């Protein structure tokens, strides 16, 4: 399974390092701020690079692709599906961050990755993307438990 973030010695991160940002959490977006835009292109990785590798290496039918994730990965699965109408036959999210513009994680990460423009943040917020979705019918399987600490 793909990682949540780029890794390596030359990949920037915040100090102190925390699980919910940087090398611990790439938010499945393409960063636009100077500090992060070189390495934090997880949206392109999931939508372009990874499928190309999988299609070349494995006997799969790309027309039957699905996407899923947990927590931040669930957020990524939903936003990626909404931004790519018709690409995924199945979309599942388990305990996803659904509205990061209104959640502490998103309020922390979006300015660092995308700058101060809330219009840019909307491109990676499930609720905002649903509001303007105009593609073919899309059904999600979302499981949001009741005992989550967040």
């Amino acid at each position: 399974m793909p990682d949540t973030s780029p890794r390596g010695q030359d990949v920037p991160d915040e100090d102190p390092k925390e699980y919910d940002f940087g090398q611990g959490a790439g938010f499945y977006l393409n960063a636009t701020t100077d500090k992060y835009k070189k390495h934090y292109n997880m949206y392109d990785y999931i939508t372009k690079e990874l499928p190309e590798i999988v299609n070349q290496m494995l006997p799969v039918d790309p027309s039957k692709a699905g996407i899923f994730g947990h927590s931040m990965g669930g957020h990524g699965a939903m936003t990626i599906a909404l931004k790519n109408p018709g690409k995924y036959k199945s979309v599942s999210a388990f305990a996803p961050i659904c509205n990061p513009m209104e959640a502490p994680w998103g309020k922390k990460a979006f300015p660092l990755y995308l700058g101060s423009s809330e219009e840019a943040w909307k491109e990676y917020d499930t609720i905002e993307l649903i509001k303007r979705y105009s593609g073919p019918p899309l059904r999600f399987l979302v499981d949001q438990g009741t005992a989550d600490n967040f």
Side-chain angles (χ1 to χ4, degrees):
M1 299 213 359
D3 203 345
T4 62
S5 304
R7 306 288 177 172
Q9 295 295 329
D10 63 335
V11 175
D13 205 347
E14 293 298 294
D15 191 23
K17 294 179 183 352
E18 297 184 23
Y19 76 98
D20 63 348
F21 184 79
Q23 290 194 34
F27 275 83
Y28 298 94
L29 52 72
N30 286 340
T32 58
T33 59
D34 288 340
K35 183 174 181 178
Y36 293 102
K37 67 183 177 184
K38 178 178 178 184
H39 293 285
Y40 288 79
N41 294 292
M42 298 305 288
Y43 175 83
D44 282 350
Y45 174 66
I46 297 296
T47 61
K48 296 175 184 172
E49 293 177 42
L50 185 61
E52 184 177 303
I53 292 167
V54 169
N55 294 336
Q56 288 176 358
M57 304 288 286
L58 300 170
V60 298
D61 180 349
S63 71
K64 296 181 179 177
I67 190 166
F68 73 96
H70 169 257
S71 190
M72 180 193 48
H75 149 79
M78 293 188 301
T79 59
I80 288 169
L82 288 162
K83 291 173 72 134
N84 294 274
K87 184 171 183 170
Y88 301 100
K89 299 294 182 205
S90 171
V91 182
S92 300
F94 304 99
I97 303 167
C98 294
N99 191 201
M101 288 181 67
E102 299 300 326
W105 285 338
K107 289 180 179 182
K108 173 183 178 180
F110 282 180
L112 293 169
Y113 287 136
L114 302 170
S116 61
S117 169
E118 290 192 12
E119 289 304 309
W121 303 359
K122 289 179 181 180
E123 293 300 312
Y124 297 100
D125 186 293
T126 300
I127 300 301
E128 295 298 325
L129 292 169
I130 287 172
K131 288 178 184 177
R132 64 177 199 253
Y133 182 77
S134 63
L138 182 60
R139 296 177 64 181
F140 292 162
L141 169 62
V142 177
D143 188 316
Q144 191 76 39
T146 60
D148 194 322
N149 292 335
F150 304 105

